Amino acid sequence: MPDKFTFARRLDRIEMSGIRKIFELAQGVKDAVDFSLGQPHFDTPAEVKAAAIQAIQNGFNRYTVTQGIPALREKIRSELARKWGFRDGDVMVTAGVAGGLFLATAALVDKGDEVIVPDPYFVLYRQLVNFFLGVPVLLDTYPDFRIRPEKLEALITPRTKLILFNNPVNPTGTAYTAAEVAAIAAVARKHGVLLASDEIYEAFSYDFPHESMLRHDPGALLMGGFGKTYAIPGWRLGFAAGPREIIEKMNLLQQFSFVCAPSPAQAAGVAALSLDMKPYIDEYRRKRDFVYEGLRDRYEVVKPQGAFYIFPKCPSGDDQTFVRRAIENKVLIVPGGACSQHQTHFRLSFAASDPDLARGVEILNRLALDS
Ligand code: PMP
């Protein structure tokens, strides 16, 4: 390294993900059941694979327009219009929801801007706000992991730029009802604050139909994804829908960063949107029931209603100690502190095979008994 070498100061504001640390701990453990991953365990549907392969073979490998191919944007737009009455805003295709979140934060958050982030949160939110010199203001949702509108309202100040809403929630599995989404939208509207709503787990809603923020706040910025629903997280495909002015700036930034979402993935996205994923979701509802029923006697745990995570309280000690013990006993889970200011819970992803879930639940129950 040259003598005068230094990293950009903004990097000091980013911490290594607690999930990565667990990966490293788990390296030496053989035959472990892996409940640490935030991705579906099923294979990509054949139709989606075929569409991507065909796109590649047809030579659809060049850059696309920044905002995404018209066929995909149109299909997303008509779905949003049909489901949530989306009319006036614009739609762009992003390089995953992470890509969309990066562009949105870059476009919106200035130094010192406050961004309300419900806690527990998806790790990226807090890091991105910090990276762009904003101030994450955590909204504590323990112990039932639901946002109370009055608590949200109490955190709003003249510096509040954005509320980062997630529904269903990673890592708690909370899914918000229509009444709850409406109440949150009402708080944002009353104070004139922009809502960004990450609905990547929209399809994974087990107890009632998913309710989008778009229906209650037509000015919200929606982030939607393909990676979880169609088991293509590595293809980097997502979308953003919302006010034209915001999408325009996000496109400007995409032009100089991601350039466009991968072209074969965009072509496959058109095919994916015609698929009925209900059988997959039914399977995940069954897994949710199995894990919840299996743990509830020995763990303090809230029943998840969406996504594919459950977030129980550690039976003893802090989350790092318990997760280390679990890993030694061949169960890979994520310490709650990786996605929260509290170090009391752990995240288990039930996107796993039935035999793995059975084995993992048995081991976790043994650990709770020994605690
Ligand atoms: N939002 C949430 C809530 C997530 O859990 C994830 C993935 N773990 C993402 C966004 C990122 O999704 P993508 O792979 O589409 O970037």
Side-chain angles (χ1 to χ4, degrees):
M1 299 282 219
D3 283 352
K4 290 200 171 158
F5 176 89
T6 53
F7 281 108
R9 294 267 296 280
R10 72 177 81 85
L11 275 185
D12 296 344
R13 302 170 65 96
I14 299 224
E15 296 155 18
M16 177 170 144
S17 155
I19 300 181
R20 275 260 307 277
K21 287 187 205 156
I22 289 304
F23 273 132
E24 282 165 21
L25 246 180
Q27 287 311 310
V29 185
K30 287 210 172 60
D31 309 322
V33 285
D34 193 349
F35 299 146
S36 70
L37 296 174
Q39 55 188 347
H41 84 300
F42 54 85
D43 194 13
T44 311
E47 296 89 331
V48 180
K49 287 184 186 173
I53 291 165
Q54 193 170 47
I56 291 170
Q57 286 182 335
N58 289 349
F60 197 67
N61 301 302
R62 316 183 78 173
Y63 300 126
T64 72
V65 283
T66 308
Q67 65 270 31
I69 58 174
L72 182 56
R73 283 177 67 219
E74 272 320 304
K75 194 141 187 179
I76 293 168
R77 173 187 284 286
S78 64
E79 281 291 289
L80 295 178
R82 182 179 64 80
K83 290 196 291 193
W84 317 121
F86 180 74
R87 292 276 175 273
D88 303 327
D90 206 353
V91 173
M92 73 182 283
V93 181
T94 58
V97 174
L101 285 165
F102 191 92
L103 299 173
T105 328
L108 296 167
V109 176
D110 263 331
K111 188 171 180 186
D113 282 349
E114 293 176 4
V115 178
I116 297 180
V117 178
D119 177 349
Y121 45 80
F122 171 43
V123 273
L124 208 74
Y125 299 164
R126 196 174 176 183
Q127 306 271 15
L128 274 179
V129 172
N130 278 327
F131 185 71
F132 288 109
L133 311 182
V135 181
V137 175
L138 300 181
L139 166 56
D140 195 312
T141 65
Y142 289 75
D144 64 351
F145 310 123
R146 310 195 80 82
I147 294 172
R148 299 275 178 289
E150 60 281 6
K151 274 181 86 173
L152 169 64
E153 186 161 20
L155 292 181
I156 295 177
T157 76
R159 302 224 62 158
T160 307
K161 192 63 168 285
L162 182 68
I163 299 167
L164 266 178
F165 180 61
N166 177 209
N167 179 32
V169 182
N170 171 7
T172 58
T174 301
Y176 288 96
T177 63
E180 289 176 303
V181 175
I184 292 162
V187 171
R189 186 166 49 244
K190 178 174 164 194
H191 293 274
V193 176
L194 180 72
L195 264 165
S197 188
D198 176 349
E199 301 181 17
I200 189 170
Y201 295 103
E202 150 172 21
F204 300 86
S205 196
Y206 306 122
D207 297 337
F208 43 83
H210 174 72
E211 184 74 13
S212 178
M213 186 54 79
L214 275 189
R215 199 208 301 274
H216 300 275
D217 179 1
L221 178 64
L222 173 72
M223 307 281 177
F226 292 78
K228 315 283 180 186
T229 312
Y230 304 104
I232 49 170
W235 291 11
R236 313 308 306 132
L237 191 65
F239 65 88
R244 288 183 183 281
E245 302 83 338
I246 298 180
I247 299 292
E248 187 188 323
K249 295 294 188 231
M250 287 171 66
N251 267 309
L252 178 73
L253 292 169
Q254 176 144 284
Q255 186 177 6
F256 300 125
S257 52
F258 301 97
V259 179
C260 61
S263 36
Q266 291 191 52
V270 180
L273 285 177
S274 304
L275 288 184
D276 175 15
M277 298 304 286
K278 186 170 180 298
Y280 295 84
I281 305 305
D282 289 345
E283 192 189 336
Y284 272 40
R285 181 182 297 104
R286 199 177 45 69
K287 290 181 190 294
R288 184 275 310 256
D289 291 342
F290 177 83
V291 171
Y292 173 69
E293 294 301 330
L295 294 179
R296 61 181 290 197
D297 288 343
R298 301 231 173 93
Y299 284 85
E300 196 179 316
V301 61
V302 180
K303 187 175 186 178
Q305 302 149 317
F308 35 70
Y309 309 104
I310 190 165
F311 200 66
K313 189 160 189 215
C314 301
S316 65
D318 65 19
D319 60 345
Q320 292 284 341
T321 313
F322 181 70
V323 166
R324 193 162 291 127
R325 254 184 85 211
I327 291 176
E328 284 161 11
N329 284 275
K330 300 186 185 299
V331 177
L332 309 189
I333 47 178
V334 173
C339 26
S340 173
Q341 63 189 333
H342 296 285
Q343 297 175 352
T344 46
H345 289 62
F346 64 92
R347 187 190 80 172
L348 181 157
S349 162
F350 55 80
S353 73
D354 287 352
D356 276 3
L357 289 174
R359 192 174 145 221
V361 164
E362 192 201 310
I363 297 172
L364 286 170
N365 277 322
R366 191 153 38 74
L367 291 179
L369 263 189
D370 295 346
S371 290

